[in-house]
Structures are given as structure tokens and as C-alpha cells.
Amino acid sequence: MKQMKRMLIMVIAVAMLASVMAIPAFAANTADTDFWYHVATTSDFPRIPGRSKTDTSAVYVYVDQSTYSFVRVRAFGQHSTSTTTTNCDNCTYYGGTIVPFVRCNRDVGYSVSTMIKEYKWTYASLGFQSAGTNSDIVTGWWSADSSRTHNTPLAP
């Protein structure tokens, strides 16, 4: 009987200890954020503000306005939300390798594969480049993490 009591007390103590231990939980950053961006030239990829990247899922992007039928999209890994920091890296992944950009058509949701978390960056950002020779206004929405798989972007 004494052994049974000791065992019961030990089980209760372990259960109580387990219930108060903090277990970290990270929710995927899948909420859509609108963007409006003026792409002044066709030679660079101006970036929208970064968002926390919590998992290795693709970045989701939906372009709903552009002068052209598609835009070039580059996924950046960075350590802040800044759009001007040089502490960033192109992490756009396509066909088993890092590529300079992918092409995303207007009015289609895309899962842009990246290596952001794999390269140990903590924030994701997107840069856009005009598909034509003139500047462009690009609008739409995006999320740093995806909750499901969307269309695959077009090759660079």
C-alpha cells in the first residue's frame, strides 16, 4: 500500500510538473498583407517591408494589378523588416536551384519556393521587377508562410 501511495504521488508530481512547463509554439505567418509598389526601373528589385518567416513553407503572392500580364518576383531573406538594408539575400528557389526571379501572372495565387529559413534568415520580403521597359505599379497581397500549396510560378 505504501508503494502504491508513493507511486501515485510521483505520477501526480510528474503530471503537475509537465503541465507548468512552457512549450514554445510558433504559428505560421499566413495572414495576407496588401502591397502597393512603384517599380521605377527594370534593372532592380525594390522590396516591400519584410515579415517574420516562421517555417520552410513557400511564400504566397497574388498580384492583382500590373501594367503587364506578369511581373518578375524575387524572394529575399533578411534579418529585419527594412526595405533598405543591405543585409539580405536572394533566396528564390526554382527547379532545384537559386534563381534570380520567377514570373508571376496577374490574378493568380502563387507559392514561391524559397530557401529563407534553410539559410537561417528570420524575415521574408518580396521584390518586384517590371516585365516591360517602363516603370510599373504592382499591387496585390502576400504572406511570408503558406498554409497550402498554390500554383507554381513560371520559370525565369
Side-chain angles (χ1 to χ4, degrees), residues 7-48:
M7 184 64 98
L8 183 60
I9 290 171
M10 196 175 325
V11 167
I12 291 171
V14 168
M16 286 174 57
L17 211 87
S19 70
V20 295
M21 289 178 64
I23 300 171
F26 297 97
N29 196 353
T30 59
D32 291 339
T33 299
D34 293 338
F35 62 84
W36 180 100
Y37 220 80
H38 179 251
V39 182
T41 70
T42 58
S43 62
D44 62 354
F45 284 86
R47 287 177 286 135
I48 59 178

Short mmCIF file of all heavy atoms in Angstrom, two decimals, residues 7-48:
data_model
loop_
_atom_site.label_atom_id
_atom_site.label_comp_id
_atom_site.label_asym_id
_atom_site.label_seq_id
_atom_site.Cartn_x
_atom_site.Cartn_y
_atom_site.Cartn_z
N MET A 7 3.98 5.78 -5.52
CA MET A 7 3.89 5.77 -6.98
C MET A 7 2.84 6.78 -7.45
O MET A 7 3.06 7.54 -8.39
CB MET A 7 3.53 4.37 -7.49
CG MET A 7 3.51 4.30 -9.00
SD MET A 7 5.11 4.61 -9.72
CE MET A 7 5.65 2.97 -9.97
N LEU A 8 1.71 6.83 -6.79
CA LEU A 8 0.64 7.76 -7.14
C LEU A 8 1.10 9.20 -6.95
O LEU A 8 0.87 10.07 -7.79
CB LEU A 8 -0.62 7.47 -6.30
CG LEU A 8 -1.84 8.34 -6.62
CD1 LEU A 8 -2.25 8.15 -8.07
CD2 LEU A 8 -2.98 7.98 -5.69
N ILE A 9 1.79 9.49 -5.84
CA ILE A 9 2.30 10.82 -5.58
C ILE A 9 3.32 11.22 -6.65
O ILE A 9 3.32 12.35 -7.14
CB ILE A 9 2.90 10.92 -4.16
CG1 ILE A 9 1.76 10.85 -3.12
CG2 ILE A 9 3.71 12.19 -3.99
CD1 ILE A 9 2.23 10.73 -1.70
N MET A 10 4.18 10.28 -7.04
CA MET A 10 5.18 10.56 -8.05
C MET A 10 4.51 10.84 -9.41
O MET A 10 4.90 11.78 -10.11
CB MET A 10 6.16 9.39 -8.19
CG MET A 10 7.37 9.85 -8.93
SD MET A 10 8.76 8.73 -9.13
CE MET A 10 8.91 7.74 -7.74
N VAL A 11 3.51 10.08 -9.76
CA VAL A 11 2.80 10.29 -11.02
C VAL A 11 2.12 11.66 -11.01
O VAL A 11 2.18 12.40 -11.99
CB VAL A 11 1.77 9.16 -11.27
CG1 VAL A 11 0.83 9.51 -12.40
CG2 VAL A 11 2.50 7.86 -11.57
N ILE A 12 1.48 12.02 -9.90
CA ILE A 12 0.83 13.32 -9.80
C ILE A 12 1.86 14.45 -9.89
O ILE A 12 1.64 15.45 -10.58
CB ILE A 12 0.00 13.41 -8.49
CG1 ILE A 12 -1.21 12.48 -8.58
CG2 ILE A 12 -0.44 14.85 -8.23
CD1 ILE A 12 -1.98 12.33 -7.27
N ALA A 13 3.01 14.29 -9.22
CA ALA A 13 4.05 15.31 -9.26
C ALA A 13 4.59 15.50 -10.68
O ALA A 13 4.78 16.63 -11.13
CB ALA A 13 5.18 14.94 -8.29
N VAL A 14 4.81 14.41 -11.38
CA VAL A 14 5.31 14.49 -12.77
C VAL A 14 4.26 15.16 -13.66
O VAL A 14 4.58 16.02 -14.48
CB VAL A 14 5.69 13.09 -13.30
CG1 VAL A 14 5.92 13.12 -14.80
CG2 VAL A 14 6.91 12.57 -12.58
N ALA A 15 3.00 14.82 -13.47
CA ALA A 15 1.93 15.43 -14.26
C ALA A 15 1.84 16.92 -13.99
O ALA A 15 1.65 17.72 -14.92
CB ALA A 15 0.59 14.75 -13.95
N MET A 16 1.98 17.32 -12.74
CA MET A 16 1.92 18.74 -12.40
C MET A 16 3.11 19.49 -13.00
O MET A 16 2.97 20.59 -13.52
CB MET A 16 1.89 18.93 -10.88
CG MET A 16 0.55 18.56 -10.26
SD MET A 16 0.54 18.60 -8.45
CE MET A 16 1.04 20.26 -8.11
N LEU A 17 4.28 18.88 -12.94
CA LEU A 17 5.47 19.50 -13.49
C LEU A 17 5.33 19.66 -15.01
O LEU A 17 5.66 20.71 -15.56
CB LEU A 17 6.70 18.62 -13.18
CG LEU A 17 7.97 19.41 -13.01
CD1 LEU A 17 8.06 19.86 -11.56
CD2 LEU A 17 9.13 18.56 -13.38
N ALA A 18 4.83 18.65 -15.66
CA ALA A 18 4.66 18.70 -17.11
C ALA A 18 3.64 19.75 -17.51
O ALA A 18 3.77 20.40 -18.55
CB ALA A 18 4.24 17.33 -17.64
N SER A 19 2.63 19.97 -16.70
CA SER A 19 1.59 20.93 -17.07
C SER A 19 2.04 22.38 -16.93
O SER A 19 1.47 23.26 -17.57
CB SER A 19 0.33 20.69 -16.22
OG SER A 19 0.57 21.06 -14.88
N VAL A 20 3.05 22.65 -16.14
CA VAL A 20 3.51 24.03 -15.97
C VAL A 20 4.71 24.36 -16.84
O VAL A 20 5.12 25.51 -16.92
CB VAL A 20 3.84 24.36 -14.49
CG1 VAL A 20 2.61 24.28 -13.64
CG2 VAL A 20 4.96 23.49 -13.97
N MET A 21 5.28 23.39 -17.48
CA MET A 21 6.42 23.63 -18.36
C MET A 21 5.96 24.39 -19.60
O MET A 21 4.94 24.08 -20.19
CB MET A 21 7.09 22.32 -18.77
CG MET A 21 7.83 21.65 -17.62
SD MET A 21 8.56 20.08 -18.10
CE MET A 21 9.72 20.60 -19.31
N ALA A 22 6.72 25.40 -19.99
CA ALA A 22 6.38 26.17 -21.19
C ALA A 22 6.80 25.40 -22.42
O ALA A 22 7.92 24.93 -22.52
CB ALA A 22 7.07 27.52 -21.13
N ILE A 23 5.89 25.30 -23.34
CA ILE A 23 6.18 24.65 -24.61
C ILE A 23 6.05 25.72 -25.68
O ILE A 23 4.97 26.25 -25.90
CB ILE A 23 5.21 23.49 -24.88
CG1 ILE A 23 5.34 22.44 -23.77
CG2 ILE A 23 5.48 22.88 -26.25
CD1 ILE A 23 4.30 21.36 -23.82
N PRO A 24 7.15 26.09 -26.33
CA PRO A 24 7.06 27.15 -27.33
C PRO A 24 6.23 26.69 -28.52
O PRO A 24 6.33 25.57 -28.98
CB PRO A 24 8.52 27.39 -27.73
CG PRO A 24 9.25 26.17 -27.34
CD PRO A 24 8.49 25.55 -26.20
N ALA A 25 5.42 27.61 -29.03
CA ALA A 25 4.60 27.33 -30.19
C ALA A 25 4.78 28.48 -31.18
O ALA A 25 4.75 29.64 -30.81
CB ALA A 25 3.15 27.20 -29.80
N PHE A 26 5.00 28.14 -32.43
CA PHE A 26 5.16 29.15 -33.46
C PHE A 26 4.06 28.98 -34.48
O PHE A 26 3.94 27.94 -35.11
CB PHE A 26 6.53 29.00 -34.15
CG PHE A 26 7.67 29.21 -33.21
CD1 PHE A 26 8.31 28.14 -32.61
CD2 PHE A 26 8.10 30.49 -32.90
CE1 PHE A 26 9.36 28.34 -31.74
CE2 PHE A 26 9.15 30.70 -32.03
CZ PHE A 26 9.78 29.63 -31.44
N ALA A 27 3.26 30.00 -34.63
CA ALA A 27 2.19 29.96 -35.62
C ALA A 27 2.74 30.46 -36.94
O ALA A 27 3.51 31.42 -36.99
CB ALA A 27 1.03 30.83 -35.15
N ALA A 28 2.36 29.81 -38.00
CA ALA A 28 2.81 30.25 -39.32
C ALA A 28 2.26 31.64 -39.61
O ALA A 28 1.16 31.99 -39.20
CB ALA A 28 2.35 29.25 -40.37
N ASN A 29 3.04 32.43 -40.31
CA ASN A 29 2.68 33.81 -40.63
C ASN A 29 1.91 33.82 -41.96
O ASN A 29 2.41 34.27 -42.98
CB ASN A 29 3.95 34.65 -40.71
CG ASN A 29 3.67 36.13 -40.67
OD1 ASN A 29 2.53 36.56 -40.71
ND2 ASN A 29 4.73 36.91 -40.62
N THR A 30 0.67 33.31 -41.94
CA THR A 30 -0.09 33.12 -43.18
C THR A 30 -1.13 34.21 -43.44
O THR A 30 -1.85 34.13 -44.43
CB THR A 30 -0.81 31.76 -43.16
OG1 THR A 30 -1.68 31.70 -42.03
CG2 THR A 30 0.19 30.61 -43.11
N ALA A 31 -1.23 35.21 -42.58
CA ALA A 31 -2.19 36.29 -42.83
C ALA A 31 -1.73 37.10 -44.04
O ALA A 31 -0.55 37.44 -44.16
CB ALA A 31 -2.30 37.19 -41.60
N ASP A 32 -2.66 37.39 -44.94
CA ASP A 32 -2.31 38.17 -46.13
C ASP A 32 -2.10 39.64 -45.77
O ASP A 32 -2.84 40.21 -44.97
CB ASP A 32 -3.42 38.07 -47.17
CG ASP A 32 -3.52 36.68 -47.79
OD1 ASP A 32 -2.52 35.94 -47.73
OD2 ASP A 32 -4.58 36.34 -48.33
N THR A 33 -1.10 40.24 -46.38
CA THR A 33 -0.81 41.66 -46.24
C THR A 33 -0.83 42.29 -47.63
O THR A 33 -0.17 41.79 -48.55
CB THR A 33 0.57 41.88 -45.59
OG1 THR A 33 0.56 41.29 -44.29
CG2 THR A 33 0.90 43.35 -45.48
N ASP A 34 -1.57 43.38 -47.76
CA ASP A 34 -1.63 44.08 -49.05
C ASP A 34 -0.31 44.79 -49.33
O ASP A 34 0.39 45.22 -48.41
CB ASP A 34 -2.74 45.13 -49.04
CG ASP A 34 -4.12 44.52 -48.96
OD1 ASP A 34 -4.28 43.34 -49.31
OD2 ASP A 34 -5.05 45.22 -48.54
N PHE A 35 0.01 44.92 -50.62
CA PHE A 35 1.15 45.74 -51.01
C PHE A 35 0.78 46.59 -52.22
O PHE A 35 -0.10 46.24 -53.01
CB PHE A 35 2.41 44.90 -51.30
CG PHE A 35 2.27 43.92 -52.44
CD1 PHE A 35 2.47 44.32 -53.75
CD2 PHE A 35 1.96 42.60 -52.19
CE1 PHE A 35 2.34 43.42 -54.80
CE2 PHE A 35 1.83 41.68 -53.23
CZ PHE A 35 2.02 42.09 -54.53
N TRP A 36 1.41 47.72 -52.32
CA TRP A 36 1.30 48.65 -53.44
C TRP A 36 2.70 49.13 -53.67
O TRP A 36 3.32 49.70 -52.77
CB TRP A 36 0.37 49.81 -53.07
CG TRP A 36 0.19 50.82 -54.16
CD1 TRP A 36 -0.89 50.91 -54.99
CD2 TRP A 36 1.06 51.89 -54.52
NE1 TRP A 36 -0.73 51.97 -55.85
CE2 TRP A 36 0.48 52.59 -55.58
CE3 TRP A 36 2.30 52.34 -54.06
CZ2 TRP A 36 1.05 53.69 -56.20
CZ3 TRP A 36 2.90 53.43 -54.68
CH2 TRP A 36 2.27 54.09 -55.72
N TYR A 37 3.22 48.88 -54.84
CA TYR A 37 4.60 49.23 -55.05
C TYR A 37 4.83 49.84 -56.42
O TYR A 37 4.34 49.33 -57.42
CB TYR A 37 5.51 48.01 -54.87
CG TYR A 37 6.77 48.36 -54.14
CD1 TYR A 37 6.80 48.50 -52.77
CD2 TYR A 37 7.93 48.62 -54.84
CE1 TYR A 37 7.94 48.87 -52.09
CE2 TYR A 37 9.09 48.98 -54.18
CZ TYR A 37 9.08 49.10 -52.81
OH TYR A 37 10.22 49.48 -52.16
N HIS A 38 5.60 50.93 -56.45
CA HIS A 38 6.01 51.54 -57.71
C HIS A 38 7.36 50.96 -58.08
O HIS A 38 8.34 51.14 -57.35
CB HIS A 38 6.11 53.07 -57.56
CG HIS A 38 6.54 53.73 -58.83
ND1 HIS A 38 7.78 54.29 -58.99
CD2 HIS A 38 5.89 53.90 -60.01
CE1 HIS A 38 7.87 54.78 -60.21
NE2 HIS A 38 6.75 54.56 -60.84
N VAL A 39 7.40 50.26 -59.18
CA VAL A 39 8.65 49.68 -59.67
C VAL A 39 9.20 50.65 -60.69
O VAL A 39 8.68 50.76 -61.81
CB VAL A 39 8.40 48.28 -60.29
CG1 VAL A 39 9.70 47.67 -60.76
CG2 VAL A 39 7.70 47.39 -59.30
N ALA A 40 10.21 51.40 -60.29
CA ALA A 40 10.70 52.52 -61.09
C ALA A 40 11.53 52.10 -62.29
O ALA A 40 11.52 52.75 -63.32
CB ALA A 40 11.51 53.47 -60.22
N THR A 41 12.27 51.02 -62.18
CA THR A 41 13.15 50.60 -63.28
C THR A 41 12.97 49.11 -63.52
O THR A 41 12.35 48.40 -62.75
CB THR A 41 14.63 50.86 -62.96
OG1 THR A 41 15.03 49.95 -61.93
CG2 THR A 41 14.87 52.29 -62.52
N THR A 42 13.57 48.67 -64.60
CA THR A 42 13.53 47.24 -64.90
C THR A 42 14.84 46.56 -64.53
O THR A 42 15.04 45.41 -64.84
CB THR A 42 13.26 47.02 -66.41
OG1 THR A 42 14.29 47.68 -67.15
CG2 THR A 42 11.89 47.56 -66.80
N SER A 43 15.73 47.29 -63.85
CA SER A 43 17.04 46.71 -63.54
C SER A 43 17.21 46.27 -62.09
O SER A 43 18.17 45.60 -61.77
CB SER A 43 18.14 47.70 -63.90
OG SER A 43 17.99 48.86 -63.10
N ASP A 44 16.29 46.67 -61.21
CA ASP A 44 16.45 46.26 -59.81
C ASP A 44 15.15 45.66 -59.28
O ASP A 44 14.15 45.58 -59.98
CB ASP A 44 16.92 47.42 -58.94
CG ASP A 44 15.91 48.56 -58.90
OD1 ASP A 44 14.91 48.51 -59.62
OD2 ASP A 44 16.15 49.51 -58.14
N PHE A 45 15.19 45.21 -58.05
CA PHE A 45 14.04 44.59 -57.40
C PHE A 45 13.74 45.32 -56.09
O PHE A 45 14.13 44.86 -55.02
CB PHE A 45 14.32 43.11 -57.10
CG PHE A 45 14.24 42.21 -58.29
CD1 PHE A 45 15.32 42.03 -59.12
CD2 PHE A 45 13.05 41.56 -58.59
CE1 PHE A 45 15.25 41.19 -60.22
CE2 PHE A 45 12.96 40.72 -59.69
CZ PHE A 45 14.05 40.54 -60.52
N PRO A 46 13.07 46.48 -56.15
CA PRO A 46 12.73 47.15 -54.89
C PRO A 46 11.86 46.24 -54.03
O PRO A 46 10.99 45.53 -54.54
CB PRO A 46 11.99 48.41 -55.33
CG PRO A 46 11.64 48.20 -56.75
CD PRO A 46 12.54 47.16 -57.30
N ARG A 47 12.11 46.27 -52.72
CA ARG A 47 11.46 45.33 -51.81
C ARG A 47 10.34 45.97 -51.00
O ARG A 47 10.41 47.13 -50.64
CB ARG A 47 12.48 44.75 -50.83
CG ARG A 47 13.41 43.79 -51.48
CD ARG A 47 14.46 43.29 -50.53
NE ARG A 47 15.43 44.35 -50.29
CZ ARG A 47 15.89 44.68 -49.10
NH1 ARG A 47 15.49 44.04 -48.03
NH2 ARG A 47 16.75 45.64 -48.96
N ILE A 48 9.34 45.16 -50.70
CA ILE A 48 8.31 45.56 -49.76
C ILE A 48 8.81 45.24 -48.35
O ILE A 48 9.75 44.46 -48.20
CB ILE A 48 6.96 44.85 -50.07
CG1 ILE A 48 7.10 43.32 -50.03
CG2 ILE A 48 6.43 45.29 -51.43
CD1 ILE A 48 5.82 42.57 -50.28
#
